Amino acid sequence: MKKTITIIGSGFSALSASCYLANSGFDVTILEKHKTVGGRARQFIKEGFTFDIGPTWYWMPDVFEKFFADFGKKPSDYYHLDKLNPAYEVYYNELDSIKIPDNLPEIVSIFEKEEKGSAQHLESFLDNAKHNYDVAIKDLVYRPGISITELITPVTIKKANQFFSTIRTSVRKKIKNNRLQQIMEFPVLFLGAKPSNTPSFYSFMNYADFGLGTWHPKGGMYEVVKAMVTLAIELGVKIETNQNVEKINVANGIVKNVISNGKLILSDFVLSGADYHHTETLLDEKYRGYSEKYWDSKTFAPSSLLFYVAFDKKIENVSHHTLFFDTDFDVHAKDIYDNPKWPEKPLFYASFPSKTDSTVAPDGKEAGIFLIPIAPGIEDTPEIRATYFENIIARFEKLTNQKVAENIIFKESYCVNDFVNDYNSYKGNAYGLANILTQTAFLRPKIISKKVQHLYFTGQLTVPGPGVPPSIISGKIVSDLILKQLKNENYETTI
């Protein structure tokens, strides 16, 4: 008889794990709280406009290709990808921006134009970044974070100094132009930490940026969710929506069942892709692996104030992805990590997917997503949201030299309270646990429950960390661990 596994949540990590486990012979059921699947990567559709509620960047295409290849598939079987050119644009002052092309020779040329001699430094930096990428993405990130020995290899021993120096140090050692420094330090924001706290080994994110490029799935990131759902169903996964998991029951130290919508669901294994902290609150206290003090002591990636905005005209002087670095990043970062509060002069990001994709907005109109990174756990009110929207729209108009406020058809906001209410997110964080040195690999919350047999975790609060590709990898890691436990217990699954 097949072993059963109940998976809580349907984000990227949960969907990834469901495919691997179903393909290996498990009877897999996903329980999703919302009426649609995808977790934080859901969609918002209104009046002909389509917005990705969560992730909007498609980086590391090789990770997606590897995932689908594990099932004899490829991304193009499910969705169409366009490589963006420019990959993104960075604004510094009024009509003063740098566009990052889709190829390395042009990027090198832009750097040299900005700072004489920087091209050589960039090429050297990226040679090391590519090597780090090959070490990390092809090996280290697929390790389960059980022991420090996972990180000790002949290659990592040679690179040990890169775990104790920072991205900021390595970038600024040779490149002195502040605009270029910000472009180089920007990619590690996907890891949820300050460049001054992120090990320089994570320069592999720069290779992901400049070397592999930025892509867009036609229809938005939700097309990737739909692809994974289609694959999961093809493999036999059952997906139940509108399911609110209220309790995880344990007997004699082994998980026995979950209660969802008041109904008891027996299961041989339980895997949670939901918020790790929240999942443990579903257990009796004696079975929780981490205390409230533990969670409160951790460094979390930022939360976000997001606006989904429909415009009745096309927006000028912007790219699909546009970053606004017209204020001091270090000051904003301190308001996130050092002294959590609402920033006085926030940096912000805007995405206009309709620049690339005609399917996400009516003809002649524009879909815009605006994001301000903020500290998790801070006060969130309608008045605060309104104030910050006025702030960034006024700056946006000045920087891009156009009027847009009067062209808004509608706008919706999303912030700390929504992350808590929709995803049970700890302190309303948006991206999970930051990948600083003391929260890397074996130092992150464990994939295997510390106190309950047959209970596992996956996603951005455990290994390997924040981001869509790491979440997909997390699903692979946890499924391998579950299958290993089955083998150790001499169980058999029926394929």
Side-chain angles (χ1 to χ4, degrees), residues 22 32 113 140 169 210 232 290 292 327 334 343 348 414 490:
E32 167 54 47
K113 182 179 178 181
L140 294 184
T169 300
F210 292 164
Y290 300 96
E292 289 296 320
T327 62
K334 288 178 181 177
F348 66 99
Y414 203 93
N490 296 316

XYZ file of all heavy atoms in Angstrom, residues 22 32 113 140 169 210 232 290 292 327 334 343 348 414 490:
129
model
N 5.179 12.266 -5.233
C 4.203 11.495 -6.007
C 4.910 10.617 -7.030
O 4.535 9.453 -7.252
C 3.221 12.439 -6.693
N -4.518 23.513 0.819
C -4.240 24.932 0.616
C -5.317 25.783 1.276
O -6.508 25.540 1.093
C -4.171 25.251 -0.885
C -4.191 26.717 -1.254
C -3.114 27.545 -0.558
O -1.943 27.109 -0.541
O -3.446 28.620 -0.023
N 32.256 52.828 -19.092
C 31.837 54.200 -19.390
C 31.602 54.982 -18.105
O 31.939 56.167 -18.015
C 30.565 54.180 -20.235
C 30.069 55.561 -20.653
C 28.813 55.451 -21.503
C 28.292 56.838 -21.874
N 27.034 56.737 -22.683
N 26.117 22.766 -3.369
C 25.862 23.109 -1.969
C 24.397 23.325 -1.638
O 23.925 22.888 -0.586
C 26.672 24.344 -1.579
C 28.197 24.194 -1.557
C 28.838 25.480 -1.049
C 28.620 23.013 -0.698
N 32.334 44.423 0.946
C 33.791 44.541 0.940
C 34.373 44.156 -0.413
O 35.226 44.860 -0.961
C 34.408 43.652 2.034
O 33.909 44.065 3.309
C 35.921 43.746 2.027
N 23.963 39.060 -14.147
C 24.631 39.446 -15.380
C 24.880 38.275 -16.326
O 24.866 38.435 -17.545
C 25.975 40.105 -15.063
C 25.863 41.449 -14.389
C 26.959 42.000 -13.746
C 24.680 42.173 -14.403
C 26.880 43.241 -13.132
C 24.586 43.413 -13.783
C 25.681 43.938 -13.147
N 2.053 18.284 -11.166
C 1.699 17.557 -9.944
C 0.464 16.688 -10.157
O 0.433 15.515 -9.754
C 1.460 18.547 -8.804
N 11.372 24.887 18.220
C 11.972 26.199 18.433
C 11.045 27.072 19.274
O 9.833 27.088 19.075
C 12.261 26.876 17.096
C 13.206 26.077 16.221
C 12.712 25.216 15.234
C 14.580 26.153 16.412
C 13.567 24.464 14.452
C 15.451 25.410 15.639
C 14.939 24.563 14.648
O 15.796 23.815 13.882
N 9.660 30.716 21.150
C 9.352 32.081 20.710
C 10.604 32.951 20.810
O 10.834 33.827 19.971
C 8.228 32.676 21.559
C 6.870 32.054 21.297
C 6.383 32.291 19.879
O 6.587 33.408 19.357
O 5.811 31.354 19.285
N 17.557 57.689 -3.240
C 17.801 58.021 -1.834
C 18.894 57.091 -1.291
O 19.337 56.174 -1.978
C 16.526 57.884 -0.990
O 16.080 56.516 -1.028
C 15.416 58.781 -1.522
N 19.145 50.553 7.441
C 19.147 50.657 8.902
C 17.727 50.654 9.460
O 17.459 50.107 10.533
C 19.877 51.926 9.340
C 21.388 51.863 9.155
C 22.052 53.170 9.560
C 23.566 53.102 9.341
N 24.219 54.394 9.666
N 10.703 53.849 6.903
C 11.782 54.703 6.399
C 11.266 56.079 5.990
O 10.164 56.203 5.454
C 12.300 53.931 5.178
C 11.114 53.139 4.722
C 10.363 52.758 5.968
N 12.559 52.268 -3.697
C 11.433 51.439 -4.111
C 11.695 50.835 -5.478
O 12.633 51.209 -6.179
C 10.109 52.215 -4.086
C 9.988 53.339 -5.088
C 9.308 53.156 -6.287
C 10.517 54.595 -4.815
C 9.178 54.191 -7.201
C 10.392 55.650 -5.709
C 9.719 55.449 -6.920
N -0.921 45.986 -0.316
C -0.655 44.735 0.394
C 0.536 44.984 1.309
O 1.558 45.522 0.872
C -0.317 43.624 -0.611
C -0.550 42.236 -0.101
C -1.756 41.588 -0.322
C 0.437 41.554 0.600
C -1.978 40.293 0.141
C 0.230 40.269 1.067
C -0.981 39.645 0.836
O -1.195 38.366 1.299
N 12.826 0.639 6.122
C 12.477 -0.550 5.336
C 11.040 -0.546 4.874
O 10.426 -1.606 4.736
C 12.778 -1.833 6.142
C 14.247 -1.999 6.436
O 15.073 -1.796 5.563
N 14.554 -2.356 7.674
